[in-house]
Amino acid sequence: MPDILLEGCASRPLASCLKALGILRLVGEQQDAQVRGAWRNGCFVLSSSLDKETLCDFFLHVWQPTPLVSPWNGGSGFYPGDNTEGIDAITQSTDSRLAGYRAVITRIRDWPEFRMLASLPAGQARKQRDSVREECKNIFLQRCRAELPEACLPWLDAAFILREDKAVFAPLLGTGGNEGRLEYANNFMQHVNAAFAASDTQQGRGWLESALFAVPTPGLPKVAAGQLDPGSAGGCNQSAGFALEKAAPVNPWNFLLMLEGSLLFAGTLARRSPEDPAQVSFPFCVGRVAAGFASSSLRDNERGELWLPLWSRPASLREVRRLLGEGRATLGRRQACDGLDFTRAIASLGVERGIDSFERYSFLERRGQSYVALPSGNLSVRYQPGVALLEPVARWLEQRCLKKEEPATLTSARRRLASAVFACARTPDARHFQAVSRALARMDALPTLPALLRAPCPGLAADWIAACDDGGPEVRLAAALASPSGAGKLGPLRAQLAPVSPAAPFRWEKDSEQF
């Protein structure tokens, strides 16, 4: 099978990476079941029976869009006053490739709530729409799963998971398929209309070739790009140049293939026993840690992190589905919970074999109250046994502050220590272990720490001395000073530098005379 280098599908930004997965998914499901895909030098390589010309012909004349609909969202195209340009174009089209999409839209419009809104005068319908949406949102979420065709399930699984008490939304797709006023499914339908209308024109083929092969093309529409492509979001400092426009030129095919690729990230709902609450999991999604990139802050509003796997050996669509379906990142017997856990899992063989590296993305509030998928680094998968020494420090960092408002001194110390642990997990050499030791000592010596955290950091293993040893005299001198355990009230050296008990350094000593 010939290899096609998709230069338009890089591993950054997140939208481009999802676009590559969307191409693999669509070609594998609708054209060539034997298709393979891999990452090479930051770009996606497609191996299939198609060449460049027939790949373009497939998307222009054969591809059938997945029916993305989200009637639970305002602005979805189903409510009075919504932008209905895309949804009307699909329902009025006679193209056989959109037959399934038309059937889904017709079925939703036939729901009694929407029939009622359609029967009211325009002004009254607009007054009623908000109350209908708020009162029926959970009903619509359940009805979508119960009544819509199977072709809609990939979108529903990727957008939300229904628990007994509420719906949980995937951070990858905002809050149930919308991002503020940007409604993904409605915009998807508008881009479907634009792509289909231009499919037989030179401009339409130029858009597609630009999306696949990074061929420059003029005449791109200026529309909202969303959080997955921050560089196309518009606004000050969002891209090259000095433009202050609200929207940048966006290739319709980039948006279409990006959302088609996001459907591979289906969430799951599981429980360990009937008594335990159900736990929601989305592939390679973990909690955020404020470390590893320059603009990180513990006070950021965030929606977690996504770690996208990259692999260099060609993998089939079935293998990629299995990889994303499992989404494994473990530390010993437990799942990785945040970015710091994930970094250490990468270094301890706690991820699926065959992955070369991970692209890390943090979902942070950056454009006013809008979120962006901020690229936060690339981590190679290499076994680093020394990273296991960081376990007690990382666990200690997870402690919550006992006070409602965390003081700035603790916030600053916590961030320094988290950044040092993250850097050491990436490169566990003597220099980085020393940096962790210094940051740990500075945080451990905060006079107010006993009132803020339940317990001090537990003692570190003797192997830390070897890990910090760079051959210089400073490490040997520090080890000599710290090695005596002391007796009686004297205690170890740590009791002279931090408010811990001399007799039991694993407890605080609030009234220590030595500190």
Side-chain angles (χ1 to χ4, degrees):
M1 294 189 293
D3 288 348
I4 304 175
L5 179 62
L6 302 178
E7 295 177 308
C9 300
S11 59
R12 295 184 186 179
L14 179 54
S16 182
C17 194
L18 294 176
K19 178 172 60 171
L21 298 179
I23 294 170
L24 178 68
R25 171 181 164 264
L26 294 170
V27 172
E29 290 181 351
Q30 301 183 19
Q31 187 68 20
D32 179 10
Q34 304 302 317
V35 67
R36 299 285 190 276
W39 295 94
R40 183 185 303 165
N41 298 325
C43 290
F44 198 67
V45 178
L46 197 71
S47 301
S48 77
S49 58
L50 306 177
D51 56 21
K52 286 187 175 183
E53 189 70 20
T54 53
L55 180 63
C56 290
D57 290 339
F58 161 70
F59 282 110
L60 291 171
H61 305 296
V62 179
W63 164 63
Q64 298 181 28
T66 305
L68 273 58
V69 288
S70 47
W72 59 86
N73 282 335
S76 60
F78 292 98
Y79 295 90
D82 287 353
N83 184 340
T84 60
E85 176 187 343
I87 196 169
D88 288 343
I90 290 177
T91 55
Q92 296 167 13
S93 172
T94 58
D95 196 312
S96 60
R97 294 183 290 163
L98 297 175
Y101 220 141
R102 290 193 293 271
V104 171
I105 294 171
T106 301
R107 188 163 187 171
I108 294 174
R109 283 179 167 175
D110 197 44
W111 289 353
E113 296 84 356
F114 293 122
R115 287 206 313 270
M116 180 271 292
L117 290 174
S119 66
L120 297 176
Q124 187 177 354
R126 292 187 180 185
K127 293 180 180 179
Q128 291 287 332
R129 64 182 180 183
D130 291 339
S131 60
V132 169
R133 186 172 64 247
E134 292 174 6
E135 295 172 4
C136 300
K137 182 170 184 177
N138 288 332
I139 296 175
F140 289 164
L141 291 170
Q142 296 171 11
R143 195 180 291 168
C144 283
R145 288 195 174 277
E147 297 184 6
L148 295 187
E150 188 175 346
C152 296
L153 288 181
W155 165 248
L156 302 179
D157 288 340
F160 67 92
I161 290 294
L162 284 176
R163 293 198 317 190
E164 295 178 358
D165 53 342
K166 64 177 181 178
V168 180
F169 301 118
L172 180 63
L173 294 172
T175 53
N178 75 295
E179 176 191 330
R181 302 188 66 177
L182 173 62
E183 213 289 321
Y184 285 149
N186 196 344
N187 277 265
F188 182 85
M189 289 186 276
Q190 295 176 40
H191 287 305
V192 166
N193 178 40
F196 273 55
S199 60
D200 292 323
T201 67
Q202 189 62 35
Q203 183 185 50
R205 182 171 284 268
W207 288 353
L208 180 59
E209 290 179 349
S210 177
L212 299 181
F213 311 119
V215 178
T217 185
L220 294 175
K222 291 184 178 181
V223 294
Q227 65 175 6
L228 305 181
D229 189 3
S232 299
C236 184
N237 295 329
Q238 291 298 318
S239 60
F242 300 95
L244 298 178
E245 299 176 4
K246 293 183 179 180
V250 174
N251 191 326
W253 282 104
N254 284 345
F255 193 91
L256 293 171
L257 297 174
M258 171 191 74
L259 285 186
E260 292 280 14
S262 71
L263 306 191
L264 288 172
F265 291 80
T268 58
L269 187 65
R271 64 175 79 236
R272 294 183 178 180
S273 68
E275 295 78 18
D276 291 337
Q279 299 295 323
V280 176
S281 175
F282 293 99
F284 295 115
C285 287
V286 293
R288 184 186 69 95
V289 62
F293 56 102
S295 64
S296 62
S297 170
L298 286 171
R299 300 188 185 275
D300 275 331
N301 292 327
E302 48 85 20
R303 291 177 180 161
E305 298 180 356
L306 173 67
W307 292 66
L308 272 180
L310 305 180
W311 59 94
S312 58
R313 296 178 59 183
S316 67
L317 176 59
R318 181 180 179 182
E319 291 171 320
V320 174
R321 282 190 191 279
R322 181 177 177 275
L323 169 66
L324 297 178
E326 186 175 277
R328 183 172 70 90
T330 59
L331 278 171
R333 295 183 178 180
R334 66 181 184 88
Q335 293 289 326
C337 297
D338 57 26
L340 204 54
D341 283 352
F342 209 110
T343 307
R344 293 183 295 126
I346 289 175
S348 59
L349 300 181
V351 296
E352 186 76 20
R353 305 300 185 268
I355 299 175
D356 296 319
S357 62
F358 284 88
E359 287 283 359
R360 178 192 181 202
Y361 294 93
S362 302
F363 294 96
L364 303 176
E365 193 177 81
R366 281 291 189 267
R367 295 180 285 120
Q369 294 184 333
S370 299
Y371 284 79
V372 297
L374 184 70
S376 307
N378 178 283
L379 277 76
S380 299
V381 177
R382 295 193 306 270
Y383 179 53
Q384 305 275 13
V387 171
L389 295 174
L390 298 171
E391 176 69 17
V393 182
R395 294 279 69 80
W396 187 56
L397 267 172
E398 294 178 355
Q399 287 193 75
R400 293 182 178 273
C401 181
L402 296 176
K403 294 187 176 181
K404 186 175 181 181
E405 293 292 333
E406 182 171 297
T409 53
L410 177 58
T411 298
S412 178
R414 196 193 290 269
R415 181 185 176 186
R416 283 195 300 267
L417 181 55
S419 298
V421 173
F422 191 93
C424 189
R426 295 186 66 174
T427 311
D429 56 16
R431 178 171 64 91
H432 286 97
F433 271 103
Q434 291 176 19
V436 173
S437 301
R438 288 192 295 268
L440 179 60
R442 292 178 65 181
M443 183 170 173
D444 195 43
L446 290 177
T448 59
L449 209 57
L452 302 176
L453 298 180
R454 293 188 182 279
C457 182
L460 303 179
D463 291 338
W464 269 79
I465 299 175
C468 292
D469 190 3
D470 58 1
E474 292 85 356
V475 174
R476 295 197 296 273
L477 179 61
L481 291 173
S483 59
S485 60
K489 295 183 178 181
L490 180 62
L493 179 64
R494 184 184 180 190
Q496 321 304 317
L497 304 176
V500 297
S501 170
F506 52 85
R507 294 201 307 262
W508 295 122
E509 182 76 15
K510 297 182 180 180
D511 301 320
S512 174
E513 299 178 356
Q514 301 175 165
F515 175 64

